[in-house]
Amino acid sequence: MAVHDEKTTTSRSRPERRSQFADLIRRRRAELNESLATFAEKAADPETGKRVTRGWIYRLESGEPVTPPEVEELRALAAACEYPLERLQDAAGQQFHGVDPLRSGSSEATAYVRMLDRMPAEQRENLLRLIASLVPPED
């Protein structure tokens, strides 16, 4: 007969709560020293004009369930945060879809990968050879 303890049952039945996106928005709003109303007023997509409501931002920051943001809403929040869209996309992917972006301790790896995408193929190959000559082989 299997023994069930409350801790095991609870941890299996409840998925891990992810809050990367909510934490990013909450921290940035605090850094900007803006009220919820002021921040929401700035949250307009520069391309389409679509706005993110104060209520949605409040629910997000409070940990209440929200509908995952669409790209227009991400652009609106990026404008309010004064951050690049990719930063919000990474955090939203983590929180809402469980996708962890490429990271290093200092997040430099993400910046390097994004720069690589803009390099011509020949330069990428040369850089890869240089890196291979500098990095010790794995065991």
Side-chain angles (χ1 to χ4, degrees):
M1 180 172 181
V3 177
H4 297 284
D5 65 28
E6 187 175 319
K7 185 177 180 181
T8 304
T9 304
T10 304
S11 66
R12 277 193 222 146
S13 62
R14 215 178 284 159
E16 174 189 357
R17 183 182 176 281
R18 293 175 157 252
S19 62
Q20 294 87 344
F21 187 70
D23 295 343
L24 175 74
I25 299 298
R26 186 181 319 99
R27 274 194 311 269
R28 185 58 177 159
R29 189 169 68 81
E31 288 170 4
L32 294 170
N33 196 32
E34 292 180 344
S35 69
L36 192 56
T38 301
F39 187 80
E41 184 64 31
K42 290 175 33 182
D45 179 1
E47 292 182 27
T48 65
K50 185 169 186 173
R51 305 191 71 77
V52 178
T53 66
R54 189 175 91 181
W56 188 91
I57 297 168
Y58 172 81
R59 288 189 303 278
L60 174 75
E61 289 186 357
S62 300
E64 296 177 29
V66 294
T67 303
E70 296 178 1
V71 70
E72 295 87 0
E73 294 156 329
L74 288 172
R75 281 194 302 255
L77 289 165
C81 288
E82 302 169 12
Y83 279 158
L85 175 62
E86 294 83 10
R87 186 163 182 184
L88 276 75
Q89 287 173 319
D90 285 349
Q94 287 178 293
Q95 179 168 333
F96 296 109
H97 305 293
V99 176
D100 290 320
L102 176 63
R103 293 275 181 219
S104 73
S106 65
S107 74
E108 288 177 312
T110 302
Y112 294 148
V113 169
R114 290 200 173 115
M115 284 189 278
L116 283 173
D117 289 339
R118 297 190 315 252
M119 293 176 71
E122 185 179 335
Q123 285 182 345
R124 283 195 309 267
E125 291 170 19
N126 290 338
L127 183 58
L128 183 58
R129 281 194 290 278
L130 174 64
I131 291 170
S133 72
L134 297 172
V135 177
E138 291 185 34
D139 292 328

